[in-house]
């Protein structure tokens, strides 16, 4: 009997092992036969926002040209999902403007996003947002399957317009894992489970509000992030991180569930009002057709009285409502002046019209004199800074409201404001009567203060009770960015010094050709004492200042001065000429002007140019080197600002100089537009 029992046990074990080996072998054969589909990287356009893509982690291909400021980015390193995916990739440095592949991973929303300038893209600041993402290099993780077709939160996806086939509301694939060997204990556990099946109850609609089902997590994301989601139940088929709130889904029983909203990170306890299933999205991101940075200078002097001060606040509230305040549109701050100015709130304090109107209502009158000039100086020096929310891509606008007349002078302060790129508007209410004009400190003060004296920037209101009539025309004018003439551009914000080779090898005829080249370049700029200014130096062995930056303030005067420059003749000491220009021209340049040196030479320098060129670069002088005929190209590259390919040019004959005028202007403007300004 004992022998029979042992024999039977051995047979059973042998059969079990055969089945086990056969099953494992079968699994291996099956896995060999299954061919993984070839992964194709989906393409998206520059305007596609991360929040519109439901997939928690994906690889995409971005086109070229996403550095364009039309495609908005919010945040730094970690971006709000309202941002353009591809523009954020350029901002982060993962891509350049030529496009390419990137890996995008969704992460939790933040309580705030800080804007910054990086890699030619200016990102904006934003209050809390429901979801964020980060951008990485497109290196797929081993064993992870990425979607070949993205899932969008709406049926008409932007990617579909680019020829990509997508399925709206498709469930994102769960990252695959590598198959593991089957153990004996696992097989026994499965056998027991099959032998004693458990019947799970079908979820009912009422259970949906009390039962929480965990969602599949994105690859690499910690399970603790589940705590960041507010408690709204949904089935695993609806667990799509990144989908917009408010999209309805159906469970198998027909009950509709609503997508939960991600709570703020790092805020601890979440307020009850934020646990609702409504979106945290602001009412509006602002009107992109009126993207300006606006400061209101309001009159808080004692003479205005409480009633008029209240009327003034009503106009501000109306402007705030009409402008549609938001991070992608106009931003507005308020400064009140009396004896001294004080900022009530800056550009980034309130990001929507509702909050701004509430803040305006709480402003109280300060009293004192009407020192408008002091207030304009204060705004020029302090208000339009990056720390206060100033954006490099938005024009700076100041609207000054004056009851009667200022008690100090405004002309000099306003000139400095214009030179800083600020567009000043003036609203004068109840101006001085005939018997009061003797008390006016500065006659015709409004025309001395505004950006231009063409009537566009001035409002004269006869009575405080008619102030409301200026609301619509004021909003229309400040939003007409094409007519904001004092905004800094590449053509109105530089001190340009021409350094001209007058050596014997040039000759009289060719020297006149060089002067015509200088004239053609000068004609492209807006010339005045507050816009672009022109100076010129001629050199041989020696140097001569033909005219300085402050000598002529109109384009006709400058063009006539260029014509009068006489040919000198002599040797070629280019290094000494650069040093001379730094001392005699650029040392007297205004601090808020871009400094451009345009040097024209036809030969190799008799002295060293390396040290003078380095001194120019260190002093912030952008140097363009134009060589003709026998000029040494390696010297031109040393003189020119980096990168030399954009700042050094060579022509074989003087008569061909004119061909480079458009290219030089284009390079000057391209460089200007790629840098933060205002």
């Amino acid at each position: 009997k004992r022998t029979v029992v042992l024999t039977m046990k051995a047979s059973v074990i042998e059969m079990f092992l055969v089945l086990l080996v056969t099953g494992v072998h079968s699994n291996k054969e099956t896995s060999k036969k299954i061919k993984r589909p070839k992964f194709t990287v989906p393409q998206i356009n520059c305007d596609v926002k991360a929040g519109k893509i439901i997939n928690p982690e994906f690889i995409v291909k971005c086109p070229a040209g996403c550095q364009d400021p039309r495609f908005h980015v919010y945040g730094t390193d970690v971006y709000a999902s309202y941002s353009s995916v591809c523009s954020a990739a350029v901002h982060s440095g993962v891509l350049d403007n030529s496009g390419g592949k990137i890996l995008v991973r969704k992460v939790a929303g933040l309580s705030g996003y800080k804007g910054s300038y990086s890699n030619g893209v200016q990102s904006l600041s934003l209050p809390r947002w429901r979801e964020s993402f980060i951008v990485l290099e497109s290196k797929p993780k081993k064993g992870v399957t990425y979607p070949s077709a993205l899932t969008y939160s709406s049926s008409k996806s932007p990617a579909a317009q680019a020829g990509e086939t997508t399925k709206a509301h498709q469930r994102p694939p769960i990252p695959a894992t590598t198959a593991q060997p089957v153990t004996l204990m696992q097989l026994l556990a499965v056998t027991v489970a099959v032998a004693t099946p458990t019947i799970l109850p079908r979820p009912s609609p009422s259970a949906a509000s009390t039962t929480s089902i965990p969602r599949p997590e994105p690859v690499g994301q910690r399970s603790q992030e589940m705590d960041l989601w507010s408690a709204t139940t949904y089935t695993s088929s609806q667990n799509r991180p990144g989908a917009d709130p408010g999209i309805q889904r159906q469970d198998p029983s027909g009950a509709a569930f609503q997508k939960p909203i991600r709570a703020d990170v790092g805020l601890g306890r979440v307020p009850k009002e934020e646990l609702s299933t409504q979106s945290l999205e602001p009412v509006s991101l602002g009107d992109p057709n009126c993207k300006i940075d606006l400061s209101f200078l309001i009159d808080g002097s004692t003479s205005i009285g409480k009633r008029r001060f209240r009327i003034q606040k009503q106009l501000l509230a109306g402007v705030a409502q009409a402008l549609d305040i938001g991070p992608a549109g106009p931003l507005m701050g308020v400064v009140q002046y009396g004896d001294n100015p004080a900022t009530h709130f800056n550009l980034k304090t309130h990001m929507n019209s509702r909050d701004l109107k509430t803040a305006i209502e709480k402003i109280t009158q300060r009293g004192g004199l009407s020192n408008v000039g002091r207030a304009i100086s204060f705004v020029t020096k302090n208000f339009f800074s990056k720390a206060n929310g100033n954006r490099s891509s938005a024009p700076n606008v100041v609207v000054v409201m004056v009851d009667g007349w200022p008690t100090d002078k405004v002309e000099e302060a306003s000139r400095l404001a214009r030179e800083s790129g600020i567009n000043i508007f003036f609203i004068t209410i109840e101006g001085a009567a005939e018997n009061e004009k003797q008390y006016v400190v500065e006659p015709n003060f409004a025309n001395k203060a505004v950006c231009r004296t063409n009537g566009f920037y001035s409002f004269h209101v006869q009575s405080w009770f008619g102030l409301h009539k200026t609301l619509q025309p004021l909003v229309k004018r400040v939003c007409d960015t094409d007519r904001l003439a004092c905004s800094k551009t590449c053509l109105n914000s530089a001190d340009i010094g021409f350094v001209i080779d007058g050596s014997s090898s040039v000759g009289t005829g060719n020297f006149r050709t060089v002067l015509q080249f200088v004239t053609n370049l000068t004609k492209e700029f807006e010339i005045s004492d507050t816009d672009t200014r022109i100076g010129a130096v001629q050199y041989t062995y020696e140097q001569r200042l033909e005219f300085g930056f402050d000598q002529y303030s109109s384009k006709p005067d400058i063009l006539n001065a260029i014509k009068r420059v006489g040919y000198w003749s002599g040797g070629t000491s280019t290094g000494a000429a650069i040093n001379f220009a730094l001392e005699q021209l650029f040392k007297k340049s205004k601090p808020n002007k871009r400094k451009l040196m345009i040097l024209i030479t036809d030969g190799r320098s008799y002295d060293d140019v390396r040290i003078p060129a380095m001194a120019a670069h260190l002093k912030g002088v952008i140097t363009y080197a134009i060589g003709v005929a026998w000029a040494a190209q390696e010297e031109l590259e040393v003189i020119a600002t980096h990168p030399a390919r954009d700042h050094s040019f060579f022509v074989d004959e003087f008569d061909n100089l004119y061909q480079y005028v458009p290219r030089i202007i284009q390079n000057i403007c391209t460089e200007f537009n790629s840098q933060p300004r205002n």
Side-chain angles (χ1 to χ4, degrees), residues 12-311:
V12 170
I13 292 172
E14 184 178 356
M15 290 176 62
F16 184 80
L17 290 173
V18 169
L19 288 171
L20 180 62
V21 172
T22 303
V24 172
H25 180 71
S26 175
N27 286 340
K28 287 182 178 180
E29 290 297 322
T30 304
S31 64
K32 288 180 181 178
K33 292 178 182 178
I34 297 174
K35 292 184 178 179
R36 292 181 179 272
K38 186 178 179 181
F39 174 61
T40 56
V41 178
Q43 282 190 303
I44 60 174
N45 295 327
C46 296
D47 60 351
V48 174
K49 299 172 183 176
K52 293 297 182 182
I53 301 174
I54 296 177
N55 308 78
E57 186 169 344
F58 51 89
I59 294 176
V60 290
K61 185 175 182 181
C62 292
C66 295
Q67 200 178 51
D68 195 305
R70 291 179 300 159
F71 311 119
H72 297 144
V73 179
Y74 300 90
T76 301
D77 296 329
V78 179
Y79 303 96
S81 62
Y82 196 74
S83 305
S84 158
V85 173
C86 296
S87 292
V90 176
H91 183 273
S92 67
V94 175
L95 286 185
D96 56 24
N97 201 36
S98 61
K101 298 177 184 178
I102 56 170
L103 172 62
V104 179
R105 181 179 299 157
K106 299 287 188 68
V107 294
L110 302 180
S111 58
Y113 299 84
K114 187 176 181 180
S116 65
Y117 179 84
S118 179
N119 302 307
V121 175
Q122 176 68 53
S123 69
L124 305 175
S125 299
L126 189 70
R128 68 175 187 267
W129 201 253
R130 61 181 177 271
E131 182 182 63
S132 310
F133 69 97
I134 57 175
V135 184
L136 306 168
E137 293 183 2
S138 59
K139 294 180 180 178
K141 290 184 179 180
K142 189 175 181 180
V144 176
T145 301
Y146 295 93
S148 295
L150 300 176
T151 307
Y152 289 86
S153 60
S154 61
S155 58
K156 293 183 179 179
S157 70
Q161 298 173 4
E164 177 189 347
T165 304
T166 58
K167 296 180 180 179
H169 310 305
Q170 178 182 340
R171 180 180 178 180
I174 300 174
T177 55
T178 307
Q180 301 292 330
V182 181
T183 65
L184 178 60
M185 293 302 296
Q186 288 173 327
L187 187 59
L188 291 173
V190 172
T191 305
V192 171
V194 171
T196 57
T198 302
I199 300 174
L200 297 175
R202 183 177 181 179
S204 63
S206 61
S209 61
T210 58
T211 308
S212 179
I213 302 175
R215 63 182 178 89
E217 294 181 11
V219 176
Q221 189 168 345
R222 296 178 296 175
S223 60
Q224 287 88 336
E225 289 186 13
M226 282 295 295
D227 297 333
L228 299 173
W229 291 81
S230 55
T232 304
T233 305
Y234 58 110
T235 65
S236 60
S237 63
Q238 281 82 47
N239 294 333
R240 284 178 260 218
D244 284 347
I247 297 175
Q248 296 291 325
R249 303 286 187 258
Q250 293 281 331
D251 79 340
S253 65
F257 298 140
Q258 196 167 20
K259 182 88 168 55
I261 301 167
R262 187 170 287 189
D264 293 338
V265 176
L267 295 181
R269 187 176 178 182
V270 181
K272 290 181 179 180
E273 61 269 18
E274 291 186 16
L275 292 176
S276 69
T277 56
Q278 295 182 3
S279 171
L280 292 178
E281 185 173 333
V283 174
S284 172
L285 285 172
D287 180 5
N289 296 317
C290 181
K291 188 176 180 181
I292 59 172
D293 289 342
L294 171 63
S295 172
F296 258 92
L297 279 181
I298 61 173
D299 191 341
S301 60
T302 304
S303 61
I304 193 174
K306 291 183 179 180
R307 186 178 183 185
R308 294 173 179 176
F309 189 77
R310 187 165 59 251
I311 295 172

Side-chain angles (χ1 to χ4, degrees), residues 3 114 326 380 396 406 497 504 519:
T3 302
K114 187 176 181 180
T380 302
N396 292 164
S504 302
T519 298

